[in-house]
Amino acid sequence: MISFLLNNTMLGVGLAMDAFSVSMANGLSEPRMKKTKMYGMAGVFAVFQGVMPFLGWLCVHTIVQYFTAFEKCIPWIALILLAYIGGKMIFEGRHEDGDTQQAKTVGATEIMIQGIATSIDALSVGFTIAEYNWGMMLLAVAVIAAVTFVICAAGIRIGRKFGTKLSGKSQIFGGVILLLIGIEIFIQGVF
């Protein structure tokens, strides 16, 4: 059981790295983010990181042939979603003065899109946990989600701290980070 928990904790850490980076970018672009929003955002990332492996596991046990065809699209979808959000942040950061920029917040729609984009590669984790029974799979998903929540909350806190120091350039910097994450997911998925 300890080995099972340790393996799934490490899996959760690996899966949460993209969400951690996006969380930092969100903290950078909104350094005055309230704690309720911060924990809500970390919760969204955690839910998506947990749901995606569950869906992958479900696909393995039901419609594997359809998922295999979809798997080739994952890097493209992540690149498009993160490039859109990152590009929007860069554009808004360059076209607003410092005072307006400080008041800019990350909206619920953007958070949902980020949650999907950073967790879509976790669908393939369903293949690696395919041998788990129903209970083991649920425990693995819960561990992955809990690890993601903690890591993303820390990422937002780090981003908030540096966002205050970077003042007017934080939104641009956060957008660049999102673009780079999208490119990284694309490169790893295609090559």
Side-chain angles (χ1 to χ4, degrees), residues 87-156:
K88 184 177 174 208
M89 286 173 69
I90 292 169
F91 178 81
E92 290 173 354
R94 290 185 52 101
H95 291 91
E96 295 177 0
D97 61 21
D99 296 333
T100 309
Q101 194 173 14
Q102 284 297 326
K104 195 71 180 158
T105 62
V106 181
T109 302
E110 292 168 321
I111 294 169
M112 296 298 282
I113 292 171
Q114 291 171 349
I116 293 167
T118 58
S119 66
I120 197 162
D121 60 336
L123 272 169
S124 59
V125 170
F127 286 135
T128 65
I129 63 171
E131 75 277 358
Y132 290 179
N133 63 35
W134 184 257
M136 289 173 64
M137 180 274 301
L138 288 177
L139 182 57
V141 164
V143 168
I144 290 168
V147 167
T148 300
F149 179 84
V150 170
I151 288 174
C152 289
I156 296 166

